[in-house]
Amino acid sequence: LICIILGPQLAARLALTGEVIKGEQAVALGLALSSHENGEACLNHANEIALKISKAAPVAVRTTVKSLRSMQEVERGGLDRALMREADAQAQCYNTQDLIEGIRALEEKRPPEFKFK
C-alpha cells in the first residue's frame, strides 16, 4: 500500500533505510491526514471525526467502508469485482428507511434521525 501512496522509489527508501518521518512530513507525503501537537489533541480530533460518522446512516457507513476496502482489489487488478461491490452497496442503501429519512432531513434542514433500517 505504501508503494501506491508514495511511489516505489520513496517507499523503498523509507523501508530500506528505516528513516523516521515526523507528522508534518507524513501529512505532506499523503500518509496522514493531520498532525497534532500531542496525544490529547489527536484524541480530540479523532473523537470529532467519530461523532460525525456516528451521525450518518449506519447502512451507508457500513457499505461505504466495504466499498473503500474493495478499492484495494482495484489496485490488484480487480476492477470488475470492485464495481460489483459498489453496485451492491448502492442497492443496499437505496432500499432503506434511513435513505428516506436522510432525504427528508436534508429537505427540512434538520439533523436526520436514523433508525438503522
Side-chain angles (χ1 to χ4, degrees), residues 44-83:
N44 288 339
H45 187 171
N47 284 332
E48 290 172 13
I49 293 170
L51 182 61
K52 288 179 183 179
I53 293 169
S54 74
K55 292 180 180 180
V59 173
V61 171
R62 186 171 44 254
T63 58
T64 298
V65 169
K66 287 180 182 178
S67 292
L68 291 170
R69 288 181 180 157
S70 76
M71 287 306 297
Q72 294 171 1
E73 292 297 320
V74 172
E75 298 298 336
R76 292 190 291 261
L79 179 59
D80 289 339
R81 183 175 178 191
L83 291 172

Side-chain angles (χ1 to χ4, degrees), residues 103-117:
I103 293 169
R104 283 187 183 143
L106 186 63
E107 290 171 344
E108 297 169 6
K109 298 181 184 192
R110 61 171 174 80
E113 296 176 19
F114 298 118
K115 307 291 186 207
F116 301 88
K117 297 179 181 180

